[in-house]
Amino acid sequence: MNKLPRADTDSADGDGEDASSQDAWRLARHAHVIVYEAADGGELLTIYDCGAAQAPPSAQIVGHLVRTAADHVTEQQPTGHIVKLREESVLREQSEGHYVIEPA
C-alpha cells in the first residue's frame, strides 16, 4: 500500500522525471512517520498525511529511516518513534531499504 504522490525532480533532459524520482515521494507539511522497530533490527514505516486527521495511513514501507533533514520533532514510543514533520518534505530511498526525509 503506497498512495503517496511521487516527488517531482528536475532532470537534465527536462522531462521532469529521472531515476531518483522513481524512489521519492512527497510528504505533507504535517505528515507523521511512525517507525516501528522489530526485534530482528528491521523497521516498518507507517506514513500518515496528517497526524490530527483520523484517516488510514497513506503508505507502509519496510525499511530503515536513516535520517530526517527536514524540520521535524521526534517523539519516542515504547515500540519505536514518531517523526512529526513541520514542513513539506520528500521521502527518498537512498539505497535499497534505506530512506531519508529531506526538505522539499
Side-chain angles (χ1 to χ4, degrees):
M1 162 185 66
N2 186 349
K3 298 177 184 176
L4 294 172
R6 292 271 182 207
D8 294 327
T9 58
D10 295 327
S11 64
D13 61 7
D15 67 2
E17 192 170 314
D18 62 10
S20 65
S21 69
Q22 294 178 12
D23 295 323
W25 300 271
R26 286 186 288 145
L27 299 176
R29 179 180 191 158
H30 297 288
H32 284 191
V33 180
I34 301 177
V35 181
Y36 296 100
E37 298 169 358
D40 65 359
E43 294 179 343
L44 173 65
L45 311 178
T46 303
I47 302 164
Y48 294 88
D49 287 335
C50 180
Q54 294 183 353
S58 299
Q60 286 189 313
I61 300 170
V62 175
H64 296 278
L65 182 59
V66 178
R67 176 175 47 89
T68 303
D71 188 19
H72 71 286
V73 173
T74 301
E75 184 178 303
Q76 296 298 322
Q77 300 289 311
T79 58
H81 60 279
I82 301 171
V83 177
K84 299 178 178 182
L85 297 174
R86 300 292 183 242
E87 67 178 323
E88 289 187 21
S89 307
V90 174
L91 175 69
R92 186 176 317 278
E93 187 173 22
Q94 75 176 21
S95 63
E96 187 173 342
H98 294 87
Y99 296 87
V100 296
I101 299 175
E102 303 169 336

